[in-house]
Amino acid sequence: MAETLIKVDLQDSPYNNPNIHNRWHPDIPMACWVNPGDEFVLETYDWTGGYIKNNDSADDVRDVDLTTVHFLSGPVGVKGAEPGDLLVVDLLDVGAKPDSLWGFNGFFSKKNGGGFLTEHFPEAQKSIWDFHGLYTTSRHVPGVKFAGLIHPGLIGCLPDQKMLDMWNEREVDFIATQPERVPPLANPPFASTAHAGKASGAAKDKVALEGARTVPPREHGGNCDIKDLSRGSKIFFPVYVDGAGLSVGDLHFSQGDGEITFCGAIEMAGWVHMKVTLIKGGMAKYGIKNPIFKPSPITPTYNDYLIFEGISVDEYGKQHYLDVHVAYRQACLNAIEYMTKFGYSKAQAYSILGTAPVQGHISGVVDIPNACATLWLPTQIFEFDINPSASGPVVQDFGGIDVPLSKDL
Ligand code: ZN
């Protein structure tokens, strides 16, 4: 096995680990250095740094301070990397920490982050998923079992100062258009919970004050939450600073397209085995502004789906113009409604869409006025027949009306 360059102790706070950071800033010092061609392993916390516990209460999902996330391992400096290069990252393998063979899925309270269907699920909820080698099951969502398509939700290189300033300016300006909105339009820098890695003194203060929050994906990649960015894939990242500064975290055992529950995948602590190489001047050579990647040769072979259509007319009957966000929401709501006919609570069905390898497709965006989005629900993840038939659905008892529910704050 390649050398483990960053280790994490899940019993200890990530704030005590100088090889972890939770903001994007060019002044965060490299945690370690590697040469092009090197293979290495980085261990990671789950995205909340261990705040969410393996129990039957969603109070922790309700109460988690989202200014603390995401806890990332790195940055890793790559010798010889310069702005304008492409950093080629082979995700050779990704796994769960052996001392933590479980993950969590949560819906955030509308007052604390929300989610894709927050109007329908305004309160915090949580389901725990146990890992059995390749497979996962949940005591909170019986009747499904599926193979993990394990991937980092968040991976990218450090921005330079110019790019960071641009991010902050456009997001702060955007927030100012609707400053009272709940949940907010974006998250501005927030100094008091910043973790600047190895930075000290004035640099640490600068990182805390200016460091971009890790929630959105941006030009450098970051929190893209792409389920297909799994072990075996190869990613080409734009480089903005000398050494590139590669960081990774927010590992997911599995996730549906869209990560719709927001704490949306099966979130876990784990490790990533990587190899890095460089394409000198690759950004200009290939016209690359955002990362590109090649998928893994190994993916679970779920090839039978029930596909739910959604159009850009919202659940209140309002017409929207070619809006794929509205259309995908309708496809998801249609799938949830369907699953409840087999005995799932709406929350359990929502959890399935967040965690299982469901596919989301933009199917049509030109047929005015309606966009069409589709939600592909793999039928083979169910331990019973989920298909429609003349005899009607067989209703089962999936252990209660809801997954654990917390009263809102
Ligand atoms: Zn995540």
Side-chain angles (χ1 to χ4, degrees):
M1 193 77 168
E3 189 185 351
T4 300
L5 296 182
I6 294 179
K7 290 195 160 94
V8 301
D9 175 359
L10 300 183
Q11 307 311 316
D12 194 15
S13 165
Y15 284 102
N16 296 331
N17 188 326
N19 296 323
I20 302 293
H21 63 101
N22 67 0
R23 298 291 188 270
W24 292 112
H25 196 290
D27 293 350
I28 297 171
M30 301 301 173
C32 52
W33 285 88
V34 298
N35 287 302
D38 282 357
E39 283 184 29
F40 54 92
V41 173
L42 305 181
E43 292 181 353
T44 72
Y45 284 92
D46 82 77
W47 74 300
T48 70
Y51 189 82
I52 308 297
K53 305 298 183 201
N54 185 348
N55 59 31
D56 299 328
S57 164
D59 290 355
D60 47 14
V61 170
R62 181 194 64 192
D63 297 338
V64 62
D65 178 357
L66 290 179
T67 69
T68 64
V69 302
H70 301 66
F71 291 103
L72 305 177
S73 298
V76 177
V78 181
K79 289 176 191 164
E82 297 171 293
D85 294 346
L86 288 177
L87 180 68
V88 186
V89 178
D90 280 284
L91 290 179
L92 298 173
D93 205 356
V94 187
K97 286 263 290 173
D99 54 339
S100 184
L101 295 177
W102 62 278
F104 57 92
N105 174 261
F107 318 162
F108 278 100
S109 137
K110 191 180 172 189
K111 293 177 189 163
N112 190 24
F116 189 58
L117 302 178
T118 196
E119 301 300 330
H120 300 269
F121 298 93
E123 296 189 79
Q125 302 198 43
K126 179 171 91 178
S127 54
I128 298 295
W129 296 77
D130 293 308
F131 306 151
H132 317 277
L134 270 180
Y135 297 97
T136 186
T137 58
S138 171
R139 63 183 181 267
H140 299 126
V141 190
V144 289
K145 176 184 178 185
F146 46 87
L149 186 55
I150 304 179
H151 59 275
L154 203 164
I155 183 168
C157 295
L158 293 180
D160 61 10
Q161 186 72 44
K162 191 172 156 218
M163 175 161 275
L164 175 68
D165 291 346
M166 177 180 73
W167 291 350
N168 282 334
E169 191 182 330
R170 74 185 180 200
E171 291 176 23
V172 168
D173 286 354
F174 189 48
I175 293 165
T177 64
Q178 224 179 315
E180 305 302 326
R181 188 179 191 273
V182 179
L185 287 175
N187 300 294
F190 189 79
S192 66
T193 50
H195 184 356
K198 284 181 172 169
S200 58
K204 186 178 177 183
D205 294 342
K206 192 169 190 299
V207 170
L209 211 60
E210 301 176 348
R213 303 281 293 282
T214 57
V215 170
R218 298 189 182 90
E219 288 84 342
H220 69 147
N223 194 24
C224 288
D225 290 314
I226 302 169
K227 79 177 193 310
D228 304 289
L229 203 69
S230 60
R231 52 183 172 169
S233 59
K234 181 194 282 283
I235 321 166
F236 303 78
F237 286 107
V239 172
Y240 310 102
V241 301
D242 287 336
L246 176 71
S247 294
V248 63
D250 185 24
L251 302 190
H252 298 160
F253 190 83
S254 178
Q255 181 209 295
D257 279 344
E259 206 199 17
I260 62 171
T261 61
F262 181 40
C263 183
I266 299 174
E267 309 285 344
M268 68 178 199
W271 51 268
V272 185
H273 177 185
M274 291 189 274
K275 178 183 175 180
V276 290
T277 49
L278 292 170
I279 297 178
K280 297 300 291 180
M283 285 177 72
K285 276 181 190 161
Y286 291 102
I288 285 176
K289 190 179 89 175
N290 298 68
I292 61 174
F293 77 97
K294 292 176 68 65
S296 172
I298 299 171
T299 55
T301 55
Y302 296 115
N303 47 24
D304 185 64
Y305 293 89
L306 255 185
I307 300 176
F308 295 85
E309 300 182 9
I311 58 171
S312 53
V313 175
D314 68 25
E315 52 271 49
Y316 313 106
K318 185 171 178 230
Q319 178 75 58
H320 296 258
Y321 181 73
L322 297 180
D323 187 330
V324 293
H325 186 270
V326 172
Y328 193 50
R329 202 166 72 221
Q330 301 318 303
C332 293
L333 289 169
N334 289 343
I336 289 169
E337 185 67 21
Y338 181 89
M339 282 188 271
T340 63
K341 303 303 181 194
F342 293 80
Y344 284 116
S345 70
K346 288 195 176 194
Q348 287 174 319
Y350 190 24
S351 293
I352 290 170
L353 297 189
T355 57
V358 307
Q359 295 187 30
H361 291 242
I362 297 170
S363 301
V365 286
V366 294
D367 299 314
I368 58 169
N370 284 336
C372 178
T374 45
L375 185 287
W376 299 40
L377 183 65
T379 58
Q380 293 139 306
I381 67 170
F382 294 92
E383 293 172 327
F384 57 92
D385 187 357
I386 191 88
N387 291 294
S389 69
S391 55
V394 177
V395 184
Q396 298 182 68
D397 179 359
F398 289 115
I401 297 305
D402 259 317
V403 293
L405 176 69
S406 283
K407 282 281 155 254
D408 221 331
L409 290 169

